[in-house]
Amino acid sequence: MTGPRPAISAEMPLGGRREMLDLLRRLAVHLETAEALERRADQSPNATLVAVLRGRAVERREMAERLRADLAASGVVPFRRRCRPD
């Protein structure tokens, strides 16, 4: 049995590797931003601001899930839904 093979390999054209790395970076940025928005919402005493921040965090997580699905279809990342721990 062979081990896992990298999805971004030296045989892939340079443009394709850059595109995959850009998508991975965007995925990470969306998830980090969602976490930052949640932390900010947890610290705010303003109920309206909390609702807005949590809504934006949900939007960022949805964007990240779409990117994850695209990357999973390319075999770059395993597809699994992330859920926020309570």
Side-chain angles (χ1 to χ4, degrees), residues 3-84:
R5 62 181 180 80
I8 301 175
S9 67
E11 293 109 26
M12 181 182 276
L14 184 59
R17 287 185 290 190
R18 285 185 180 153
E19 183 179 337
M20 289 293 175
L21 290 173
D22 183 52
L23 290 174
L24 285 169
R25 182 190 57 78
R26 287 175 46 205
L27 173 67
V29 167
H30 286 312
L31 292 174
E32 290 169 4
T33 302
E35 287 300 317
L37 289 166
E38 286 289 341
R39 280 194 307 273
R40 176 93 187 268
D42 290 342
Q43 296 171 355
S44 177
N46 183 323
T48 303
L49 180 59
V50 168
V52 169
L53 292 172
R54 291 199 195 284
R56 289 183 180 171
V58 167
E59 290 172 359
R60 290 295 182 144
R61 284 196 178 88
E62 289 170 353
M63 287 188 268
E65 284 300 324
R66 286 192 295 272
L67 280 173
R68 182 185 300 280
D70 291 343
L71 290 166
S74 300
V76 178
V77 296
F79 184 75
R80 60 179 162 69
R81 283 185 116 13
R82 287 189 159 201
C83 59
R84 184 170 181 261

